[in-house]
Amino acid sequence: MRACIFFDVDNTLFPTAEFAELARRNALRAMIETGLDASERELYRGLQRLIREKGSNYPNHFDSLLRKMGVKRPARYVAAAVAAYHNTKSSIQPYPEVPKTLLELKKRGYRLYVATNGDAVKQWDKLIRMGIHLFFEDVFVSGEIGEEKSPSFFRKVLAHVKAKPSACIMVGDRMDSDILPAKKLGIYTVRILQGPYSRQKGKADAQIRKFSELLGVARRL
């Protein structure tokens, strides 16, 4: 039996793309409700440009958006946006089959870990809000490791957990950051076909459409 299973977070454990869309729109609506003279469409387009330019983990999207729009004294609008964004986090839920599947894997004796890109505090925040953080023996985030997921990233993680690649499984939704780097080290890879990257070209060692299907895949190994 393969002892360790590593999980990506975004679009693997919960629908990140859907949450991000809802939270961003709530934030923009809050700006308008606070008195900002702009349309939601205008704000959304500007925010999307910033996200493409700066990346989704950039901490000052709203400040930059308002600065580009020439808004003077933007503090109240930024505060409204940040508050609405964080209030939306109360709706974070994992995919329905995630908690039961993780519990069953723990019962079978697997050691469960998270291996994800992003900011460590933000990723921990998601896991805690979803109430699934205690399933995992440790959480490895690129922001703490010092590099995004790559063969080098996974080598560092394997050294930390004292496991051989052949004794591990990596579960994720993206070929480029989840599957290929792990596969290069000889880690068995399972791709879950959900979220915005489900049509990305490439194949893992196994592919599943529902999280619970992982139980059948793990049993065969």
Side-chain angles (χ1 to χ4, degrees), residues 201-218:
K201 292 183 179 180
K203 288 187 177 181
D205 295 301
Q207 296 192 150
I208 59 177
R209 293 189 177 276
K210 292 183 179 180
F211 197 83
S212 60
E213 292 175 30
L214 181 59
L215 295 173
V217 172

Side-chain angles (χ1 to χ4, degrees), residues 1-7 97-114 131-138 211 214-215 218:
M1 179 178 288
R2 293 168 186 261
C4 300
I5 306 180
F6 298 98
F7 295 91
E97 299 173 320
V98 166
K100 288 184 178 180
T101 303
L102 294 177
L103 179 60
E104 180 59 29
L105 290 169
K106 291 283 283 186
K107 287 180 179 179
R108 294 184 186 182
Y110 286 97
R111 296 160 57 197
L112 308 183
Y113 300 92
V114 164
I132 60 175
H133 59 293
L134 294 178
F135 285 113
F136 303 106
E137 295 190 22
D138 209 339
F211 197 83
L214 181 59
L215 295 173

Side-chain angles (χ1 to χ4, degrees), residues 177-188:
S177 59
D178 298 321
I179 304 305
L180 292 177
K183 201 173 176 65
K184 285 181 180 179
L185 287 187
I187 297 172
Y188 190 90

Side-chain angles (χ1 to χ4, degrees), residues 65-72:
L65 174 62
L66 295 172
R67 185 166 57 250
K68 285 178 179 292
M69 293 174 62
V71 175
K72 296 180 179 179

